[in-house]
Amino acid sequence: MKKLIVYSILSYLFFTLNGNADNSVSVTNNVDGKKVLNIGVLLPLTGKHGDLGQSFLKAIQMALYDIDNENIKIHIKDSKGNALDTFKAAKNFQKMGIEIVIGPIFYESLERLNEINNITFISLTNKTKKIPKNTIAFGINIKSQIKTLEKYFEKIKISRTLLLSPKTKFLEQTEIIEDSKLKFSRVFFYDTNPKKITGEIEKLTKYQERRKDLERRIKILENSDLYKDKKELKKLEQKHTLGPLEFDSAFIVDFDERLKSVLTSFMFSDISNDNVYFFTLNQWFDTTLFKEAAIQNLYFPSINFKNLKKFKKKYFKIYNSKPNEVSILAYDALGLIYYCWKSNNYEFKTNQLFSKDGFKGLHGEFTIINNYSNQKLRIYKVDKKKFVEVY
């Protein structure tokens, strides 16, 4: 019965790598004639990020159970969520002869990993700039999200897109504004103070001008006895503004309450999702988005939602708690390593990770390029308190 469960879970991994690699890296030991795969796990298991690290660890243990191979051994160390402890743990892995490690999670923890030789780290960070040469950024990165949005923008034929981003510095801004193929009619940086956002959006969308245009048109129609003018007047009395918009879509680079504030400000400025597309970055299917009336038809790129729900359901059944959504990547990281090891006659070769054929995990299809995972994401929208896949 256990084997049936194992294969039903692993069937979602569908790793499709068929390439041959040179530069063999051995992480196996012969124990009683059997080859053993030793995998390091480097996560923040204590401190303020301890709960997050524990969720990732449980996902890895769940993958280990699903694979059901006693010759896979994981060696767990606490990164404590900082660069120094991450480096110390990595040095210990180096002394142990472990050459493949899942973790760390945070970009800041990668600072000294360049000093570690003969180890490849599969980090769960989504940052891709200035990654150590021995590290793969396995998170859902901005490059993959933008590439998916580029294809969808082309499909629905939008061409006048506003880019809105908070006045805060973060690594992804340059990649979105300068490095992507997305063309923006205007780039606008808004104040991070929620009380100021509405006023800024009003100016951006020329709300007062459109409101005055409506008032002027209504006055003209009120002085007319023509039937068509009275008919138009009746329609305009239901409106708050009048006039064409200078954009057909808005891409809001933000999260949580600020994202909600921006979308609500558009609603207050009489900009609805009936005539404008609203996009944002991966929201990891945040259900708090359902609570805001202004967030209907909000589009975002993300992973395979059906598989995420199955992953969360099984995780809850095993641990009686909800996982952090991102921990599905830790599950896939272990599956990736196992696949490369098993498909190469139980010898692990680092170059297998970089096959052009790519892989398919629970979170979706991906190819590892240079130092990051290039993911084939999907587009979802918020629609009547549901996440609906549209692309």
Side-chain angles (χ1 to χ4, degrees):
M1 180 62 182
K2 182 179 179 181
K3 287 293 181 183
L4 181 62
I5 296 173
V6 168
Y7 285 112
S8 68
I9 293 294
L10 289 181
S11 65
Y12 295 118
L13 293 174
F14 284 122
F15 291 113
T16 57
L17 176 64
N18 293 307
N20 294 317
D22 296 320
N23 304 321
S24 177
V25 177
S26 174
V27 292
T28 60
N29 298 309
N30 289 322
V31 179
D32 296 330
K34 296 180 180 179
K35 294 179 180 179
V36 176
L37 173 63
N38 292 291
I39 302 172
V41 174
L42 184 51
L43 302 170
L45 302 175
T46 59
K48 65 178 181 179
H49 300 298
D51 289 345
L52 179 64
Q54 293 291 343
S55 181
F56 278 65
L57 177 58
K58 288 176 181 177
I60 291 170
Q61 291 170 330
M62 192 168 87
L64 194 62
Y65 174 83
D66 288 340
I67 290 170
D68 190 29
N69 188 319
E70 63 182 9
N71 295 318
I72 301 175
K73 308 295 182 184
I74 63 171
H75 304 267
I76 305 163
K77 292 192 179 297
D78 186 2
S79 72
K80 300 181 182 178
N82 65 72
L84 179 58
D85 286 292
T86 296
F87 174 73
K88 290 178 179 178
K91 289 293 286 184
N92 284 331
F93 281 140
Q94 191 177 38
K95 291 178 182 178
M96 295 167 63
I98 291 174
E99 299 184 12
I100 186 71
V101 172
I102 299 174
I105 295 177
F106 303 116
Y107 179 79
E108 293 75 16
S109 298
L110 308 180
E111 184 178 335
R112 298 186 61 183
L113 292 187
N114 263 331
E115 301 175 41
I116 305 296
N117 298 318
N118 302 320
I119 296 182
T120 298
F121 298 89
I122 300 181
S123 172
L124 289 312
T125 182
N126 63 355
K127 303 290 192 299
T128 59
K129 296 232 173 188
K130 299 180 180 179
I131 296 293
K133 60 185 178 181
N134 58 355
T135 303
I136 296 168
F138 202 60
I140 308 303
N141 56 73
I142 193 67
K143 294 179 185 291
S144 299
Q145 295 182 58
I146 291 299
K147 188 173 292 186
T148 303
L149 287 170
E150 287 172 357
K151 293 177 181 178
Y152 191 62
F153 277 27
E154 184 177 351
K155 178 184 177 182
I156 61 177
K157 301 189 184 304
I158 56 175
S159 57
R160 294 174 294 127
T161 305
L162 290 178
L163 176 68
L164 296 97
S165 183
K167 293 177 181 177
T168 55
K169 290 184 178 180
F170 60 99
L171 294 175
E172 290 87 349
Q173 280 183 338
T174 300
E175 294 183 64
I176 296 172
I177 298 170
E178 299 177 7
D179 299 345
S180 76
K181 295 180 182 178
L182 293 175
K183 303 299 181 184
F184 302 108
S185 59
R186 182 173 179 182
V187 176
F188 181 77
F189 296 96
Y190 53 85
D191 199 293
T192 56
N193 185 343
K195 295 181 180 180
K196 296 182 179 181
I197 290 177
T198 298
E200 291 184 323
I201 299 301
E202 282 188 2
K203 291 180 181 178
L204 177 66
T205 60
K206 298 182 178 180
Y207 171 74
Q208 294 298 335
E209 293 179 30
R210 290 183 293 115
R211 186 173 178 82
K212 289 178 181 178
D213 287 343
L214 176 65
E215 292 171 352
R216 283 192 288 266
R217 183 58 182 166
I218 286 177
K219 284 183 179 180
I220 293 172
L221 295 175
E222 285 176 338
N223 295 323
S224 173
D225 292 326
L226 295 175
Y227 173 75
K228 66 179 183 64
D229 289 343
K230 289 183 178 181
K231 188 176 180 181
E232 182 184 348
L233 176 62
K234 191 172 182 179
K235 289 182 179 180
L236 293 184
E237 287 175 340
Q238 307 300 316
K239 293 180 175 289
H240 298 284
T241 60
L242 182 66
L245 299 173
E246 296 178 349
F247 56 96
D248 57 13
S249 51
F251 181 20
I252 306 162
V253 185
D254 217 335
F255 306 91
D256 303 321
E257 295 307 312
R258 276 207 312 257
L259 172 63
K260 296 170 188 175
S261 294
V262 173
L263 290 166
T264 301
S265 296
F266 270 103
M267 184 180 70
F268 288 158
S269 300
D270 199 33
I271 307 292
S272 74
N273 48 47
D274 292 331
N275 47 18
V276 171
Y277 285 94
F278 288 98
F279 295 91
T280 188
L281 295 175
N282 175 29
Q283 299 295 308
W284 282 106
F285 306 101
D286 178 7
T287 56
T288 65
L289 295 172
F290 296 158
K291 299 177 182 179
E292 303 291 332
I295 307 182
Q296 284 296 307
N297 294 329
L298 172 66
Y299 295 77
F300 60 90
S302 197
I303 68 169
N304 188 313
F305 186 42
K306 290 182 180 178
N307 283 356
L308 177 61
K309 287 191 289 185
K310 291 173 183 176
F311 167 79
K312 292 170 70 174
K313 183 178 180 180
K314 178 162 187 177
Y315 183 104
F316 186 84
K317 184 177 181 180
I318 294 172
Y319 302 113
N320 196 32
S321 62
K322 294 181 180 180
N324 180 285
E325 285 82 358
V326 189
S327 65
I328 191 174
L329 299 177
Y331 181 99
D332 276 352
L334 186 76
L336 169 63
I337 296 167
Y338 168 70
Y339 174 81
C340 291
W341 178 66
K342 182 181 179 182
S343 65
N344 195 48
N345 194 30
Y346 301 99
E347 291 286 345
F348 183 85
K349 293 183 178 181
T350 300
N351 282 8
Q352 283 185 286
L353 297 171
F354 301 93
S355 169
K356 294 180 180 180
D357 295 332
F359 311 90
K360 182 182 285 187
L362 276 178
H363 75 281
E365 297 177 30
F366 62 95
T367 305
I368 296 175
I369 302 174
N370 299 323
N371 292 96
Y372 71 94
S373 176
N374 179 36
Q375 297 118 356
K376 185 177 180 182
L377 303 175
R378 306 177 183 207
I379 300 288
Y380 297 85
K381 73 172 180 177
V382 180
D383 184 23
K384 297 177 182 178
K385 298 187 176 182
K386 290 183 180 180
F387 295 113
V388 179
E389 183 179 331
V390 297
Y391 178 75

